[in-house]
Amino acid sequence: MSDPIVTVQNVYHRYDQQTVLENINFNIEEGAFVGLVGPNGSGKTTLIKLMLGIEKLQRGNITAFGQPIQKFKNKGRISYVSQKANSFSRGFPATVKEVVSMGVIHNQRRFLPDQKKDQGLVKSALQKVNMEEYINRNIGDLSGGQQQRVFIARAIANNPKLLILDEPTVGVDSQNVEQFYDLLSKLNQELGITLVLVSHDIGAITTYVTDLLCLNRSIHYHGNPNEFESLTDEQRSILYGHQINTITHNH
Amino acid sequence: MLDAFFQYELLRNTFYTGLLVGLIAPLLGAFIVVRRQSMIADGLSHVTLAGLAFGLFMQKKYTLLMFAPFHTGILFSIIGALIIENLRDVYKAFQEIAIPIILSVGVGLSIVFIALADGINTDIYTYLFGSIAAISSSDLRLIIFISLLVIIFIFVCYKDLFALSFDSEFAIVSGVKSKTLNFVFILMTALVISASIRIVGVLLVSALMTLPVATGMRIAKSFKQTIFYSIIYGEIAVIVGLITGYYFEIPPGGTIVITSALLLGLTLLFNKLKAVRSLKKDDGYAA
Ligand SMILES: Nc1ncnc2c1ncn2[C@@H]1O[C@H](COP(=O)(O)OP(=O)(O)O)[C@@H](O)[C@H]1O
Ligand SMILES: [Mg+2]
């Protein structure tokens, strides 16, 4: 087996007086589809911001592609769909094409006008998420689910190895959520992109992910989602750190 | 009708300045509006006023002519920009607070320097509301320089700035140097404001940066188009405003902003009519 693409060791993190992450240890293997779940405020966003180098590492070690995160030069290998992406697009006068074009700015030619190659990358990214016919539409005119697909296209436009998505289904209506997870599975299986999917909705994602991480300040479960499903409700609630409702998932 | 403008050098300079300002104010303004930072322009313009008043005070009280108000205005504006960036770092959780602080200090200093320079006079009046005939050739050269700087900055950093404005976290992960870029951006804003004040005055400079953009956004399909239309609207407002201001002897700040507001109103009305008409068309098909 090849080396993990991300390793997290003994990571702690605090904001002011509040400890939000405690003794976090896990690896992400190449090709995995990791579900990172936990209730609101459990530290999920903080953890991935540390992995992305957006938030400064306070204690412990994180490596990405074999390099310490502090020294890691991304060069498009790790990409990101932020929790906030949705709220930015409201009322922003930009076309789908302009939004996806942001996904190719790490190319060397960032200071020059669009090149043929970049435009090709933008088009093929939109094809992968089935949004190519919307290329000239205004981002604000799309539904939540369509916008989220555009953000995925932006994130994969430069062919990343690892894609991290922070609660991407917030703002996507429930009929489209399943389709959305299918799309992620496709990216994972057909394009070989390693995925980290952050969610507070544990039930919906267990059928899709290959690894399940339950976070609530510290990691309460890390392993196979099927094993997790076979536990009793009570055991799972304890691991998740919050009451789990098994019957309905209509958020 | 334009004859008068080109007959006198100072008027001509004013006209050229107007054209430059009508371009760079909406150009930067487009980014300011989408980043929801319109208040920054207001904060900085009031700091610039303090700088103008300071220059005036030094000239009047101590006849130190090297303190040209235009230059001290630019200086204060830049210092204000640096302080805002700094305060935003200190108050990470509520960055908006930097603006009211800087704005009120700007006004406070202005009042002090104006009083020390012997009260409200015509100079202050032109700083507040803008003026037609006040631009020397050396000032014009400085404004041309500022304009070139801003245009080159936007041209070179367009992609990074656009990404940063839309979704800063994604931009940072993509390798955009957000700190540096934000810093240069606010410096450019300070320069544009101190140049624009010559024409529209302190009170309305933020309007020139935002009103044309608010109008442009209504008809544009993309961000690039938004910039393009904003500049067109900005130029129309400046040209119409300067000419009417000149003929009716009204400070151009007023006429430029009224023109801008009229353009916005007309555009909104036009959009409404278009929407109503397309609705009617749909009804026609249904019937
Ligand atoms: N920048 C910040 N400053 C201070 N506290 C923060 C900051 N970001 C998050 N927190 C706090 O840290 C905790 C974890 O937040 P977060 O990582 O966003 O959790 P999640 O994404 O799981 O909802 C929350 O209690 C939140 O209020
Ligand atoms: Mg979160």
Side-chain angles (χ1 to χ4, degrees):
Chain A
M1 207 159 94
S2 59
D3 291 335
I5 52 180
V6 173
T7 68
V8 177
Q9 288 170 341
N10 305 322
V11 166
Y12 289 73
H13 198 81
R14 54 193 309 156
Y15 292 116
D16 305 318
Q17 295 309 311
Q18 182 195 8
T19 300
V20 295
L21 292 175
E22 217 167 50
N23 193 24
I24 308 289
N25 292 282
F26 65 91
N27 292 342
I28 296 174
E29 306 292 341
E30 195 170 350
F33 185 167
V34 180
L36 174 60
V37 298
N40 278 327
S42 57
K44 306 181 296 291
T45 299
T46 304
L47 180 55
I48 61 172
K49 281 187 177 169
L50 288 169
M51 288 161 52
L52 289 159
I54 302 175
E55 191 75 45
K56 211 169 155 233
L57 189 61
Q58 296 170 348
R59 201 177 138 190
N61 292 304
I62 296 180
T63 68
F65 296 93
Q67 284 166 309
I69 199 71
Q70 298 91 332
K71 290 195 197 135
F72 175 66
K73 290 266 175 297
N74 191 349
K75 298 197 188 114
R77 284 177 287 179
I78 304 181
S79 196
Y80 177 43
V81 176
S82 79
Q83 195 171 2
K84 285 194 213 135
N86 244 329
S87 61
F88 282 108
S89 59
R90 220 151 286 145
F92 200 110
T95 59
V96 167
K97 185 179 173 186
E98 285 180 315
V99 171
V100 180
S101 298
M102 292 175 211
V104 293
I105 51 172
H106 16 210
N107 293 348
Q108 288 305 310
R109 289 163 275 100
R110 70 198 307 155
F111 295 131
L112 296 173
D114 283 354
Q115 310 256 312
K116 276 258 149 52
K117 188 186 158 213
D118 288 348
Q119 291 186 11
L121 289 173
V122 168
K123 282 213 182 92
S124 85
L126 280 168
Q127 272 162 15
K128 284 170 193 157
V129 300
N130 283 329
M131 287 293 289
E132 64 269 39
E133 66 216 78
Y134 294 89
I135 187 163
N136 290 317
R137 290 280 291 277
N138 198 297
I139 183 79
D141 292 343
L142 306 182
S143 73
Q146 290 172 326
Q147 287 184 358
Q148 212 49 274
R149 282 169 177 266
V150 172
F151 295 131
I152 303 250
R154 174 178 71 161
I156 62 171
N158 220 22
N159 302 315
K161 297 257 184 288
L162 169 64
L163 173 60
I164 300 177
L165 306 109
D166 195 355
E167 310 221 15
T169 54
V170 172
V172 176
D173 45 85
S174 47
Q175 306 102 286
N176 293 321
V177 167
E178 211 164 303
Q179 257 184 25
F180 185 77
Y181 289 138
D182 286 336
L183 168 67
L184 294 184
S185 284
K186 188 183 103 178
L187 296 180
N188 178 240
Q189 280 158 21
E190 291 173 21
L191 301 176
I193 302 175
T194 307
L195 293 180
V196 174
L197 172 63
V198 174
S199 177
H200 65 264
D201 183 7
I202 188 165
I205 69 166
T206 44
T207 48
Y208 295 91
V209 300
T210 58
D211 281 59
L212 190 64
L213 267 170
C214 296
L215 179 73
N216 198 0
R217 200 153 73 155
S218 58
I219 290 180
H220 292 250
Y221 180 86
H222 182 195
N224 189 308
N226 299 326
E227 276 166 33
F228 186 81
E229 281 293 289
S230 64
L231 301 172
T232 66
D233 274 9
E234 199 182 348
Q235 287 171 311
R236 289 188 296 155
S237 293
I238 291 166
L239 293 174
Y240 180 73
H242 205 264
Q243 196 61 42
I244 292 178
N245 192 338
T246 35
I247 303 154
T248 51
H249 300 298
N250 42 351
H251 286 271
Chain B
M1 196 154 97
L2 287 169
D3 284 359
F5 270 98
F6 294 101
Q7 232 160 353
Y8 307 104
E9 195 189 344
L10 289 183
L11 274 187
R12 208 160 56 213
N13 288 347
T14 307
F15 195 73
Y16 293 148
T17 301
L19 291 182
L20 288 169
V21 159
L23 184 131
I24 57 175
L27 175 62
L28 268 198
F31 290 95
I32 290 181
V33 168
V34 296
R35 307 177 97 196
R36 295 164 211 260
Q37 293 184 334
S38 314
M39 287 300 292
I40 285 191
D42 263 322
L44 284 179
S45 66
H46 288 82
V47 177
T48 313
L49 177 64
L52 294 167
F54 174 73
L56 202 65
F57 159 68
M58 293 308 262
Q59 285 193 335
K60 283 208 153 161
K61 283 287 162 177
Y62 304 106
T63 55
L64 292 169
L65 292 181
M66 74 246 205
F67 286 90
F70 184 36
H71 300 163
T72 48
I74 293 176
L75 186 71
F76 272 54
S77 194
I78 289 174
I79 294 171
L82 299 183
I83 294 174
I84 287 181
E85 272 306 287
N86 220 329
L87 284 179
R88 277 149 63 93
D89 240 17
V90 175
Y91 295 99
K92 267 204 167 71
F94 18 29
Q95 303 193 337
E96 328 71 84
I97 202 167
I99 311 297
I101 292 176
I102 205 81
L103 191 144
S104 48
V105 172
V107 173
L109 284 175
S110 305
I111 294 171
V112 170
F113 289 130
I114 290 169
L116 290 176
D118 281 340
I120 303 276
N121 55 31
T122 43
D123 290 323
I124 292 297
Y125 186 75
T126 66
Y127 298 153
L128 286 177
F129 302 122
S131 142
I132 297 264
I135 292 163
S136 69
S137 290
S138 71
D139 285 0
L140 176 63
R141 275 197 295 277
L142 188 53
I143 288 166
I144 292 173
F145 175 73
I146 288 174
S147 305
L148 283 177
L149 215 59
V150 170
I151 292 166
I152 291 170
F153 166 66
I154 296 291
F155 193 78
V156 170
C157 298
Y158 177 80
K159 287 183 191 175
D160 285 23
L161 204 52
F162 178 56
L164 194 64
S165 309
F166 188 82
D167 179 348
S168 58
E169 286 176 355
F170 181 82
I172 292 166
V173 171
S174 305
V176 172
K177 300 270 175 290
S178 65
K179 272 240 163 78
T180 317
L181 201 56
N182 279 333
F183 180 70
V184 179
F185 183 79
I186 197 166
L187 276 187
M188 293 295 150
T189 308
L191 291 178
V192 168
I193 285 169
S194 39
S196 307
I197 279 178
R198 303 308 299 269
I199 300 289
V200 286
V202 166
L203 295 177
L204 293 173
V205 71
S206 72
L208 184 61
M209 301 186 94
T210 53
L211 267 179
V213 181
T215 316
M217 274 167 75
R218 288 285 128 221
I219 54 170
K221 298 211 162 47
S222 66
F223 190 64
K224 281 206 172 115
Q225 273 190 14
T226 302
I227 292 181
F228 177 77
Y229 289 128
S230 304
I231 291 173
I232 301 277
Y233 281 122
E235 292 291 5
I236 296 175
V238 167
I239 293 167
V240 173
L242 279 179
I243 293 169
T244 51
Y246 175 72
Y247 279 99
F248 297 104
E249 295 183 9
I250 300 169
T255 51
I256 289 171
V257 170
I258 297 292
T259 311
S260 269
L262 283 176
L263 288 171
L264 175 62
L266 285 175
T267 306
L268 292 179
L269 191 69
F270 183 74
N271 273 353
K272 244 283 142 59
L273 289 177
K274 230 170 60 180
V276 168
R277 207 192 265 160
S278 72
L279 260 182
K280 275 204 181 125
K281 229 184 197 165
D282 287 349
D283 284 354
Y285 279 116

